[in-house]
Coordinates of all heavy atoms in Angstrom, one line a residue:
D182 N 106.0 121.4 132.0 CA 107.2 121.0 131.3 C 107.4 121.9 130.1 O 108.5 122.2 129.7 CB 107.0 119.5 130.8 CG 107.3 118.6 132.0 OD1 108.1 118.9 132.8 OD2 106.8 117.4 131.9
R183 N 106.3 122.2 129.4 CA 106.5 123.1 128.2 C 107.1 124.4 128.7 O 107.9 125.1 128.0 CB 105.1 123.3 127.6 CG 104.6 122.1 126.7 CD 103.5 122.5 125.8 NE 102.9 121.4 125.1 CZ 103.4 120.7 124.0 NH1 104.6 121.0 123.6 NH2 102.7 119.8 123.5
A184 N 106.5 124.9 129.8 CA 107.0 126.2 130.4 C 108.5 126.1 130.7 O 109.2 127.1 130.7 CB 106.2 126.7 131.6
A185 N 108.9 125.0 131.1 CA 110.4 124.8 131.5 C 111.3 124.5 130.3 O 112.4 124.3 130.5 CB 110.5 123.7 132.6
G186 N 110.7 124.4 129.2 CA 111.5 124.2 127.9 C 111.6 122.8 127.4 O 112.4 122.5 126.6
F187 N 110.8 121.9 128.1 CA 110.9 120.5 127.7 C 110.0 120.2 126.4 O 109.0 121.0 126.2 CB 110.5 119.6 128.8 CG 111.5 119.5 129.9 CD1 111.3 120.2 131.1 CD2 112.6 118.7 129.9 CE1 112.2 120.3 132.1 CE2 113.5 118.8 130.9 CZ 113.4 119.5 132.0
T188 N 110.2 119.1 125.8 CA 109.3 118.7 124.6 C 108.7 117.4 124.9 O 109.3 116.4 125.1 CB 110.2 118.5 123.4 OG1 110.9 119.7 123.1 CG2 109.3 118.1 122.2
P189 N 107.3 117.5 125.2 CA 106.6 116.2 125.4 C 106.7 115.3 124.2 O 106.4 115.7 123.0 CB 105.2 116.6 125.6 CG 105.3 118.1 126.2 CD 106.5 118.7 125.3
M190 N 107.2 114.1 124.3 CA 107.5 113.2 123.3 C 106.3 112.1 123.1 O 105.8 111.8 122.0 CB 108.7 112.4 123.5 CG 109.2 111.6 122.4 SD 110.5 110.4 122.8 CE 109.6 108.9 123.2
A191 N 105.9 111.6 124.3 CA 104.8 110.6 124.2 C 104.1 110.4 125.5 O 104.7 110.8 126.6 CB 105.4 109.2 123.9
I192 N 102.8 110.0 125.5 CA 102.1 109.7 126.7 C 101.8 108.2 126.7 O 101.3 107.8 125.6 CB 100.8 110.6 126.8 CG1 101.1 112.1 126.8 CG2 100.0 110.1 128.0 CD1 99.8 112.9 126.8
V193 N 102.0 107.6 127.7 CA 101.8 106.1 127.7 C 100.5 105.9 128.6 O 100.5 106.1 129.8 CB 103.0 105.3 128.5 CG1 102.7 103.8 128.4 CG2 104.2 105.5 127.6
A194 N 99.5 105.4 127.9 CA 98.3 105.0 128.7 C 98.4 103.5 128.9 O 98.8 102.7 128.0 CB 97.0 105.3 127.8
T195 N 98.1 103.0 130.0 CA 98.2 101.6 130.5 C 96.8 101.0 130.4 O 95.9 101.4 131.1 CB 98.8 101.5 131.9 OG1 100.1 102.1 131.9 CG2 99.0 100.0 132.2
A196 N 96.7 100.0 129.6 CA 95.5 99.1 129.5 C 95.7 97.9 130.4 O 96.1 96.9 129.9 CB 95.1 98.8 128.0
A197 N 95.4 98.1 131.7 CA 95.5 97.1 132.7 C 96.9 97.0 133.3 O 97.8 96.5 132.7 CB 95.1 95.6 132.2
T198 N 97.0 97.7 134.4 CA 98.2 97.7 135.1 C 98.6 96.4 135.7 O 97.7 95.7 136.1 CB 98.2 98.8 136.3 OG1 97.1 98.5 137.2 CG2 97.9 100.2 135.7
V199 N 99.9 96.2 135.9 CA 100.3 94.9 136.4 C 100.0 94.7 137.8 O 99.9 93.6 138.3 CB 101.9 94.7 136.1 CG1 102.6 95.6 137.1 CG2 102.2 93.3 136.1
N200 N 99.9 95.8 138.6 CA 99.6 95.7 140.0 C 98.2 95.3 140.3 O 97.9 94.4 141.1 CB 100.0 97.0 140.7 CG 101.3 97.0 141.3 OD1 102.0 96.0 141.5 ND2 101.9 98.2 141.6
T201 N 97.2 96.0 139.7 CA 95.8 95.9 140.1 C 94.8 95.6 138.8 O 93.8 95.3 139.1 CB 95.3 97.1 140.8 OG1 95.3 98.2 139.9 CG2 96.2 97.5 141.9
G202 N 95.3 95.7 137.7 CA 94.5 95.6 136.5 C 93.7 96.8 136.2 O 92.8 96.7 135.3
A203 N 94.1 97.9 136.7 CA 93.5 99.2 136.4 C 93.6 99.6 135.0 O 94.7 99.5 134.5 CB 93.9 100.3 137.4
I204 N 92.7 100.1 134.3 CA 92.8 100.6 132.9 C 92.7 102.1 133.0 O 91.6 102.7 133.4 CB 91.7 100.0 132.0 CG1 91.9 98.5 132.0 CG2 91.8 100.6 130.6 CD1 90.7 97.7 131.2
D205 N 93.7 102.8 132.5 CA 93.6 104.3 132.4 C 92.4 104.8 131.4 O 91.9 103.9 130.6 CB 94.9 104.8 131.8 CG 96.1 104.8 132.7 OD1 95.8 104.7 134.0 OD2 97.2 104.8 132.3
D206 N 92.0 105.9 131.6 CA 90.9 106.5 130.8 C 91.6 106.8 129.4 O 92.1 107.9 129.2 CB 90.2 107.8 131.4 CG 89.1 108.2 130.6 OD1 89.0 107.9 129.4 OD2 88.3 108.9 131.2
I207 N 91.7 105.8 128.5 CA 92.4 106.0 127.2 C 91.9 107.1 126.4 O 92.6 107.8 125.8 CB 92.5 104.6 126.5 CG1 93.1 103.5 127.5 CG2 93.4 104.8 125.2 CD1 93.1 102.1 126.8
D208 N 90.6 107.1 126.3 CA 89.9 108.1 125.5 C 90.2 109.5 126.0 O 90.5 110.4 125.1 CB 88.3 107.9 125.5 CG 87.7 108.2 124.1 OD1 88.4 108.1 123.2 OD2 86.5 108.6 124.2
A209 N 90.2 109.8 127.2 CA 90.5 111.1 127.8 C 91.9 111.4 127.5 O 92.2 112.6 127.2 CB 90.1 111.2 129.2
I210 N 92.8 110.4 127.7 CA 94.2 110.7 127.3 C 94.5 110.9 125.9 O 95.3 111.7 125.5 CB 95.1 109.5 127.9 CG1 95.0 109.4 129.4 CG2 96.5 109.6 127.5 CD1 95.6 108.1 130.0
A211 N 93.8 110.2 125.0 CA 93.8 110.5 123.6 C 93.4 111.9 123.2 O 94.0 112.5 122.4 CB 92.9 109.5 122.8
D212 N 92.4 112.5 123.9 CA 92.0 113.8 123.8 C 93.1 114.7 124.1 O 93.4 115.7 123.4 CB 90.7 114.1 124.6 CG 89.4 113.5 124.1 OD1 89.4 113.1 123.0 OD2 88.5 113.4 125.0
V213 N 93.8 114.5 125.2 CA 95.0 115.3 125.5 C 96.1 115.3 124.5 O 96.6 116.2 124.1 CB 95.6 114.9 126.9 CG1 96.9 115.7 127.2 CG2 94.5 115.1 128.1
C214 N 96.3 114.1 124.0 CA 97.3 113.9 122.9 C 96.9 114.6 121.7 O 97.8 115.2 121.0 CB 97.5 112.4 122.7 SG 98.4 111.5 123.9

């Protein structure tokens, strides 16, 4: 996206998805942020 000229605004990490209750690796996503 950056190469295509877009501006990343936000990353949404999900703490327990509505379908299965899966929790994203919030710490790893926070590192990316």
